[in-house]
Amino acid sequence: MPPREESEESERPLLSGAHDSEEDTLDETAYDSSEKVVIVGIEDGDDGDWSTAPPFSWKKLWLFTGPGFLMSIAFLDPGNLEGDLQAGAIAGYSLLWLLLWATAMGLLVQLLAARLGVATGRHLAELCRDEYPKWARMVLWVMAELALIGADIQEVIGSAIAIKILSNGVLPLWSGVIITAFDCFIFLFLENYGVRKLEAVFAVLIATMAITFAWMFGEAKPNGIELLLGILIPKLSSRTIKQAVGVVGCIIMPHNVFLHSALVQSREIDHSKKGRVQEALNYYSIESTVALMLSFIINLFVTTVFAKGFYGTEQANNIGLVNAGQYLQEKYGGGFFPILYIWGIGLLAAGQSSTITGTYAGQFIMGGFLNLRLKKWIRALITRSCAIVPTMIVALVFDTSEDTLDVMNEWLNVLQSIQIPFALIPLLCLVSKEQIMGAFKIGPVLKVVAWLVAALVIVINGYLLVDFFSSEVNGLLVGFFICTFTAAYVAFIIYLVFRAVNFYPWLPFLPSKRLSNTGG
């Protein structure tokens, strides 16, 4: 690694307003310098032209590979797998095209999150702390935490179901929740051995999902022509609209946007050299694209297995995570290795990997918004406890009533849908600002595309919310509460959009445009 310049300016990212005070060195950071993977200077010295990125190197791509695969786990969590199997059972192959395009939209959002983290040297939660006044950033923090807790509950329940399957029912759901609750300490133990070791563990878990679901795909032997037509030809009917909304809605995970902007900082990058920053963006774009292509293939495996086995059958509307393995066993039989256990292994890998990344995201969100320099095990314990208590209650109830999980999942999906604008809008606001991003702000074309994608995702999830509340909410008092909440919710979104499109210089009652480290 070449020697770094001693001046304060050389330590700053390529932006003008993100590090204005001497106290910044005491701020919470995603990774300490000792934890980062060294990238700079593998093959070259200090005498190059750093206005452009160096030539492509497979060795450097390998060293940059990791954050994108950790990010991709959110596309493979138990909630997504349940959406896949229900889409396949109810809609057959007809929504595969939507799965492809939803993954592409998710990739765009995650690339913007990575761009923000690399160009500024700070992650989304930290930048929100500086960009928004205290009241607004506290609302954003609460919303991010609620989204994380909702996702974590689904992931823990998914792991607990897998443990119950693999133990032949000997271990009840609540015991699986307790076992899964301790994975944060495993994560902390692994993190002590370095970022690359932790990434290797996640690579094993992703490979496990790929192998198990590919095995199921081979057992099911789906129709190749129908599969290809499902990917290439868009089809949508009124009967499958709910599954279509679910496919798009579960792709954008609010906590994952915060997570990816922090994960990319695990590599040591010299932000004083534009070419080094561009180089990092190039490699992260490649590895994130490969990671999400793999996640798409895994999701496709799950969807097509259930499309082949259950589309058009009486069981199609009754399949969920808890009974999916049993239905597969009855449909495809035991074979050399019972498909029930293959499903259980894949589901366990999905649940365990996503709960650990959820713990990781919780650390960044809490530390970034509140500027807390707590020990990692304390932050992990706090984040974990927020999810485990309600999950344990659900697990105890669910052991006697299978309908409870379906009801819980619907409410948790709604909870996460509500949070999506509070991750997307600040992200698009920040990556569009020159005073934040410097030379790496997004251009007008990409900005339009990104806002269109964000608007589409928000509208689709808005449809999900309206449909859910219109069917589930009854009573005048509850209706009044929902209307009041909706009004405040929409008002806050409008406030965020006004800041994002720079309307507020003309509105005297809104804060100044200048980025402030005090957050006022």
Side-chain angles (χ1 to χ4, degrees), residues 404-477:
T404 307
L405 183 61
D406 293 332
V407 174
M408 181 200 70
N409 273 330
E410 287 184 10
W411 279 99
L412 291 177
N413 287 335
V414 168
L415 176 65
Q416 293 179 74
S417 297
I418 289 173
Q419 318 305 328
I420 286 177
F422 306 130
L424 283 186
I425 296 175
L427 172 66
L428 297 184
C429 170
L430 292 167
V431 296
S432 302
K433 286 191 172 185
E434 186 172 2
Q435 64 265 43
I436 301 288
M437 300 290 292
F440 295 98
K441 72 171 185 175
I442 59 175
V445 175
L446 182 55
K447 186 187 299 185
V448 170
V449 172
W451 275 105
L452 287 175
V453 168
L456 177 62
V457 172
I458 292 171
V459 167
I460 287 174
N461 282 278
Y463 171 87
L464 175 65
L465 296 178
V466 171
D467 178 70
F468 177 79
F469 284 120
S470 62
S471 61
E472 295 291 331
V473 174
N474 297 301
L476 184 61
L477 183 61

Side-chain angles (χ1 to χ4, degrees), residues 181 184-185 188 359 363 375-386:
C184 62
F185 298 105
L188 291 171
T359 302
Q363 291 191 19
K375 292 182 178 180
K376 291 183 178 181
W377 71 268
I378 296 178
R379 274 189 285 174
L381 186 60
I382 294 173
T383 304
R384 203 65 174 147
S385 299
C386 291

